[in-house]
Amino acid sequence: MTNEEPLPKKVRLSESDMKTLTREELCTRWKQHEAYVQVLEAKYAELCSNDVPGLKESEEKLKQQQQESARRENILVMRLATKEQEMQECTTQIQYLKQVQQPSAAQLRSSMVDPAINLFFLKMKAELEQTKDKLEQAQNELSAWKFTPDRLPHAPHPHSLQTCRTNGGGEG
């Protein structure tokens, strides 16, 4: 049927219509009913013919998507398992390193030193710090004197050397 023709309507007959209608009227109503059924069957066939390939195509796409999702999930599960294994190995290694760093009681006893030796080490440390301070001061004083080719220090006058010796230079 085309869009220009009016669509047939559903024919309804009650029991009283069946008793009162003539044979010709019943036949007319039967033909109307048949036309209505044919229109419905045509629509159903059209829907089935249009939807079946579309549904099959959608079903194939859905299956492909499910397969791809399953494959991705498997890859991610494998990656997760690998990362968990690496994490477990790292945890084991950290525990081992912590255990190795902590000396045992026997190691501590063997490394303990005599208090007199400890006092000697403390004095040596203090002397070392003093020596470092003196070295730093000497380097600072030397850096204050910048010797350049333009500014060479003059040789001391011989008379000034004698004055230094007589005025309290330690030797003399």
Side-chain angles (χ1 to χ4, degrees):
M1 292 194 104
T2 62
N3 291 338
E4 297 171 2
E5 294 180 21
L7 294 175
K9 294 185 179 179
K10 184 175 182 179
V11 176
R12 295 178 191 241
L13 294 174
S14 64
E15 280 192 41
S16 62
D17 288 340
M18 296 288 273
K19 291 178 184 176
T20 58
L21 291 176
T22 64
R23 186 174 179 187
E24 291 81 28
E25 289 174 334
L26 281 175
C27 286
T28 307
R29 295 258 178 116
W30 180 258
K31 288 179 184 178
Q32 289 173 348
H33 183 67
E34 283 292 318
Y36 178 71
V37 169
Q38 286 178 358
V39 169
L40 289 179
E41 286 176 347
K43 283 185 180 182
Y44 176 73
E46 183 180 334
L47 286 174
C48 286
S49 65
N50 287 343
D51 285 349
V52 170
L55 288 175
K56 286 182 180 179
E57 186 177 313
S58 296
E59 185 179 1
E60 286 298 318
K61 285 181 182 178
L62 182 62
K63 283 181 183 179
Q64 288 175 355
Q65 287 175 348
Q66 287 174 342
Q67 289 173 350
E68 182 67 22
S69 296
R71 187 180 68 80
R72 285 183 183 172
E73 182 181 1
N74 289 338
I75 289 172
L76 291 175
V77 167
M78 288 172 45
R79 283 184 182 173
L80 179 63
T82 303
K83 293 294 181 184
E84 285 178 350
Q85 183 179 1
E86 288 174 2
M87 194 170 81
Q88 185 65 33
E89 289 172 359
C90 288
T91 303
T92 305
Q93 190 175 10
I94 288 171
Q95 288 174 349
Y96 172 75
L97 290 174
K98 282 182 179 179
Q99 193 176 29
V100 169
Q101 275 186 334
Q102 294 176 348
S104 67
Q107 289 174 331
L108 285 175
R109 279 190 211 112
S110 68
S111 65
M112 289 175 64
V113 292
D114 189 349
I117 295 174
N118 188 29
L119 183 63
F120 179 71
F121 279 125
L122 289 176
K123 285 184 179 181
M124 283 184 3
K125 185 177 175 183
E127 286 178 16
L128 178 64
E129 288 177 7
Q130 288 175 356
T131 306
K132 284 182 181 178
D133 290 341
K134 286 180 183 178
L135 175 65
E136 186 179 332
Q137 287 176 355
Q139 286 177 343
N140 288 340
E141 287 176 8
L142 278 177
S143 66
W145 288 81
K146 295 186 180 179
F147 295 102
T148 61
D150 301 343
R151 243 179 106 189
L152 287 175
H154 293 44
H157 194 270
H159 183 267
S160 64
L161 282 176
Q162 282 184 352
T163 334
C164 286
R165 286 185 193 150
T166 58
N167 286 343
E171 298 173 16

